[in-house]
Amino acid sequence: MRIMNPLVRLLVVPLSLGISVGAAAAPQAATSGSVASEAKTTDTPSTTLKVQVNEVILPVTVRDNKGKIVPNLKIDDFILHEDGRPQTIKTFAHESNLPFRLGLLVDTSRSQENALANERTATDKFIDQMLSQPADKAFLLHFDHQVELLQDFTASQAKLHHELDGMSTSTYSSDQAGSSNDDGSGNSNRRRGGTQMYDAIYLAANELMLKEHGRKALILLSDGVDRGSKESLNDAIDAAEKANLTIYTVYFKGEEDHSGGNPGMGRRGGMGGGYPGGGGYPGGGGYPGGGRRGGPTGSSEPKVDGKKILQQIATRTGGLWFEAKKKDSFDEIYAQIGEELHGQYLLTYTPDKSGGSDDSDGFHKILLKAKDDKLQVITREGYYSQN
């Protein structure tokens, strides 16, 4: 199966789930009860996620001031606000048996050639670590001058290993795109290029992850510089937020000094926020600063900072970003991502009111803090209402 830019299929929501098309734009939604565990009669029990249509689900990670995961926290340990209004947390639990839905997005443009062998080895180990239950599934997607799904969702580690072993960097040059990509609309330059990262995120979220339930995450390995995507950065992040996706980004500086790029800030603009500086654990909880709304609708900057872009993608979706400063550091990074995913809590709450006429794009900001200010709370910065 190939996912080729600019193909976007129409999503059909199963009626058996009792979800309206509008509700599909909100975080996980279904018709019955609050979050509930339903152990299956198998050797490896898994759980089923059930929430009311208007309920919001947040994956939450909490660390102490030494960077260690904090277990056994309770509802009363947190303060939650939505759009500046206090909210009542309904459930807060460590749902360790919920199945994983993981997406592996690998940059195979020529700038990543020196990192690919180490990425492949570390990713093989990560797959073995994370697909520990029969219900756990992952897919593998690579991107360069095109976006290609190498392996759809599968519980088979062997299938994923096989596709990883055969993955190589592109020999394609943007100069080879030629005029054959010109569709007559004058957009040929936007359809050329060798690193369609934004399209990869958008399609992984919208085509593969939106309809999935459970603990969902994308792991993105790239130098962070997009070249040739149809979608903008904000459109890609919006799609991830609508799919209730956490994105963990791994930055490896490419060999080529890209310039020009396509920061594609889109309609909401503003690079702001993020966690500048080295990788590892970000400080503070809730959504970081920086203009989610407002700001210019594009960028004329001649140079694109891929590291900052990957920081923003992780920050806005409640993930972490890492920098692989050495080619042999991918194992350590994957170990931290695995610890993060296994240590997550799931929080649910019902907003005190739905979006109004002043809520133009249906996005609601979330601020979650621990009462103990020594604890770092990591979660998504917000969600989209069904409006």
Side-chain angles (χ1 to χ4, degrees), residues 4-63:
M4 300 288 292
N5 175 33
L7 175 63
V8 179
R9 295 191 300 271
L10 177 65
L11 290 169
V12 179
V13 181
L15 294 177
S16 60
L17 292 179
I19 306 175
S20 68
V21 173
Q28 309 272 3
T31 56
S32 60
S34 60
V35 171
S37 297
E38 293 182 351
K40 295 182 180 179
T41 56
T42 63
D43 293 336
T44 307
S46 61
T47 60
T48 302
L49 190 65
K50 292 185 178 181
V51 296
Q52 294 175 348
V53 169
N54 292 328
E55 246 173 22
V56 176
I57 301 174
L58 295 178
V60 178
T61 305
V62 184
R63 293 183 179 271

Side-chain angles (χ1 to χ4, degrees), residues 319-340:
L320 297 176
W321 79 276
F322 302 86
E323 180 173 4
K325 295 183 179 180
K326 300 178 182 177
K327 289 185 288 185
D328 59 356
S329 62
F330 290 100
D331 281 340
E332 180 181 350
I333 290 172
Y334 268 130
Q336 292 185 51
I337 294 175
E339 180 188 34
E340 191 83 10

Side-chain angles (χ1 to χ4, degrees), residues 1 14 38 128 153 176 226 263 325:
M1 171 182 176
E38 293 182 351
D128 292 340
F153 273 116
Q176 293 175 279
D226 184 280
K325 295 183 179 180

Side-chain angles (χ1 to χ4, degrees), residues 19-230:
I19 306 175
S20 68
V21 173
Q28 309 272 3
T31 56
S32 60
S34 60
V35 171
S37 297
E38 293 182 351
K40 295 182 180 179
T41 56
T42 63
D43 293 336
T44 307
S46 61
T47 60
T48 302
L49 190 65
K50 292 185 178 181
V51 296
Q52 294 175 348
V53 169
N54 292 328
E55 246 173 22
V56 176
I57 301 174
L58 295 178
V60 178
T61 305
V62 184
R63 293 183 179 271
D64 62 21
N65 55 9
K66 295 182 179 179
K68 294 183 179 179
I69 294 283
V70 180
N72 304 321
L73 293 172
K74 300 177 181 178
I75 288 178
D76 294 339
D77 295 321
F78 296 89
I79 300 172
L80 174 67
H81 287 81
E82 178 184 299
D83 297 331
R85 304 185 310 275
Q87 303 293 318
T88 300
I89 301 173
K90 194 169 186 178
T91 65
F92 188 88
H94 186 198
E95 294 286 350
S96 58
N97 284 333
L98 275 174
F100 281 114
R101 292 292 182 267
L102 301 176
L104 304 167
L105 278 59
V106 183
D107 182 345
T108 51
S109 61
R110 288 195 292 178
S111 66
Q112 296 293 286
E113 185 173 6
N114 287 347
L116 191 60
N118 299 81
E119 291 176 357
R120 184 187 294 115
T121 301
T123 304
D124 276 331
K125 296 177 183 177
F126 182 72
I127 288 170
D128 292 340
Q129 174 193 1
M130 298 304 298
L131 301 187
S132 58
Q133 299 183 78
D136 295 334
K137 294 183 179 181
F139 67 83
L140 174 65
L141 181 153
H142 84 103
F143 58 94
D144 39 55
H145 67 281
Q146 65 182 21
V147 180
E148 183 179 9
L149 182 64
L150 297 176
Q151 175 59 56
D152 204 345
F153 273 116
T154 181
S156 170
Q157 298 173 4
K159 289 182 178 180
L160 291 162
H161 292 323
H162 174 74
E163 293 298 338
L164 274 168
D165 291 343
M167 190 172 61
S168 62
T169 52
S170 173
T171 58
Y172 182 92
S173 167
S174 60
D175 294 336
Q176 293 175 279
S179 60
S180 61
N181 284 334
D182 193 336
D183 59 3
S185 63
N187 292 328
S188 58
N189 288 335
R190 279 184 60 82
R191 299 183 187 278
R192 293 200 301 231
T195 317
Q196 296 181 6
M197 182 178 72
Y198 302 155
D199 285 354
I201 296 170
Y202 182 89
L203 292 169
N206 198 43
E207 299 256 349
L208 296 167
M209 283 289 200
L210 184 66
K211 62 184 179 295
E212 296 294 325
H213 298 273
R215 293 179 289 178
K216 302 191 291 186
L218 296 180
I219 292 86
L220 171 65
L221 299 97
S222 178
D223 63 3
V225 179
D226 184 280
R227 303 181 73 194
S229 280
K230 173 181 178 292

Side-chain angles (χ1 to χ4, degrees), residues 357-377:
S357 58
D358 59 338
D359 184 32
S360 59
D361 65 359
F363 187 82
H364 300 276
K365 290 184 178 180
I366 292 172
L367 177 61
L368 180 67
K369 290 183 177 181
K371 291 180 180 177
D372 182 350
D373 59 9
K374 294 180 181 178
L375 299 181
Q376 301 172 355
V377 180

